[in-house]
């Protein structure tokens, strides 16, 4: 019989395999050095996308303030980069004291609860980026000894509702808004290994993309390069 660790890690191995239609999605943990690209991603969201991501149509000034106020030492932010090092999707995992969320106070004995928010560029939808960001966030929560993952969104946010249902989250709707939460299993050696491997692969993928972009920029400095191209 297979062990619990094998049963936990096999679905993610299958999900990580690229198909002919969809490329592999590499989720990387972001840091202070990614703040400018985060800002560009959020500013590129149109009116409807800002409504779905933030719950209201924030002007550029407030979007900029949001990006500037992200605290990487407190929260965890994940991203998916394209070949040009533009963020296609961002998942923000914010941690809060259980007492600050009365509705979920009885849902856990842990001291903290995690809230997840996600945004995906309009041209990158349908690639499974939102789901992969959620999966990575859930694994991270388990490894951080958090057993309750919470999402708040508009009831009209079909993408978030789909992700919540796919993950088996309990969804409650009221007054045009939806709250969803998921009880997570404890961490295991499999989840620890999984997150470490995924981060290493994503970091390597980012490094290759960055070096390729830098090399292309360097070659363009040579006389006649554009003409030959």
């Amino acid at each position: 019989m297979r062990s619990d660790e094998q049963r936990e890690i096999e679905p993610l191995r299958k999900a990580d395999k690229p198909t002919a239609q969809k490329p592999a999605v590499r989720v990387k943990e972001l840091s202070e050095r990614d703040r400018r690209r985060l800002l560009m991603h959020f500013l590129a969201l149109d009116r409807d996308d800002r409504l779905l991501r933030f719950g209201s149509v924030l002007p550029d000034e407030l979007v900029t303030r949001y990006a500037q106020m992200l605290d990487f030492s407190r929260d965890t932010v994940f991203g998916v980069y394209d070949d040009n090092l533009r963020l296609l999707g961002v998942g923000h995992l914010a941690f809060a004291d259980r007492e600050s969320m009365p509705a979920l106070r009885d849902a856990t004995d842990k001291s903290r609860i995690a809230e997840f928010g996600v945004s995906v560029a309009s041209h990158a939808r349908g690639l499974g980026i939102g789901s992969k960001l959620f999966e990575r966030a859930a694994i991270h929560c388990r490894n951080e000894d958090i057993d309750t993952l919470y999402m708040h969104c508009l009831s009209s946010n079909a993408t978030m509702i789909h992700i919540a249902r796919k993950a088996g989250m309990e969804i409650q709707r009221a007054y045009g808004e939806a709250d969803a939460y998921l009880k997570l299993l404890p961490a295991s050696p499999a989840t620890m290994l999984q997150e470490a491997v995924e981060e290493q692969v994503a970091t390597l993928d980012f490094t290759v993309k960055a070096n390729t972009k830098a090399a292309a920029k360097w070659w363009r400095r040579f006389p006649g390069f554009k003409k030959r191209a």
Side-chain angles (χ1 to χ4, degrees):
M1 293 181 64
R2 294 178 300 170
S3 66
D4 291 340
E5 287 79 5
Q6 288 175 318
R7 284 194 291 269
E8 286 175 352
I9 204 167
E10 279 183 3
L12 285 126
R13 285 175 176 166
K14 293 177 182 178
D16 194 51
K17 292 181 180 179
T19 65
Q21 294 78 25
K22 296 181 180 180
V25 176
R26 308 299 184 190
V27 179
K28 181 179 182 296
E29 185 171 345
L30 305 183
S31 63
E32 180 64 41
R33 65 188 300 178
D34 301 290
R35 191 182 296 275
R36 183 181 65 82
R37 293 191 178 101
L38 278 166
L39 175 59
M40 298 303 294
H41 168 79
F42 291 130
L43 288 176
L45 298 177
D46 62 21
R47 180 184 179 89
D48 292 337
D49 288 338
R50 293 188 189 189
L51 176 63
L52 295 178
R53 173 59 184 86
F54 301 109
S56 61
V57 184
L58 297 184
D60 288 351
E61 294 80 6
L62 291 183
V63 172
T64 300
R65 183 177 180 184
Y66 168 79
Q68 292 174 341
M69 294 294 289
L70 284 173
D71 186 348
F72 295 100
S73 65
R74 180 192 62 198
D75 299 340
T76 303
V77 184
F78 299 106
V80 175
Y81 278 104
D82 68 5
D83 291 342
N84 292 313
L85 302 185
R86 291 175 298 196
L87 282 167
L88 298 177
V90 173
H92 181 191
L93 199 56
F95 302 102
D97 292 335
R98 181 184 63 178
E99 298 302 321
S100 67
M101 305 181 73
L104 297 177
R105 188 180 301 163
D106 297 330
T108 179
D109 294 328
K110 304 293 184 180
S111 61
R112 295 189 301 165
I113 291 174
E115 181 176 0
F116 180 70
V118 65
S119 56
V120 177
S122 58
H123 66 277
R125 289 176 188 152
L127 300 177
I129 292 175
S131 294
K132 290 295 290 185
L133 286 165
F134 179 84
E135 290 173 9
R136 178 64 187 277
I139 290 294
H140 185 76
C141 286
R142 291 177 63 181
N143 293 339
E144 290 292 318
D145 195 31
I146 293 174
D147 67 359
T148 304
L149 180 56
Y150 167 79
M151 291 198 307
H152 176 81
C153 64
L154 299 177
S155 295
S156 59
N157 193 336
T159 300
M160 288 286 279
I161 297 297
H162 172 73
I163 291 174
R165 284 178 174 164
K166 185 178 178 181
M169 301 182 80
E170 181 175 332
I171 303 173
Q172 298 176 350
R173 301 177 188 239
Y175 306 106
E177 298 183 344
D179 292 322
Y181 73 92
L182 178 67
K183 293 295 292 183
L184 301 170
L185 295 173
S188 70
T191 62
M192 294 288 188
L193 176 62
Q194 177 186 329
E195 183 172 23
V197 170
E198 287 187 359
E199 182 62 25
Q200 288 181 351
V201 171
T203 299
L204 177 61
D205 179 69
F206 178 86
T207 301
V208 170
K209 290 174 179 176
N211 289 340
T212 301
K213 184 177 180 180
K217 183 178 180 181
W218 184 76
W219 275 107
R220 283 195 293 268
R221 295 178 180 177
F222 284 87
F225 174 82
K226 293 183 179 180
K227 184 177 181 179
R228 289 197 301 271

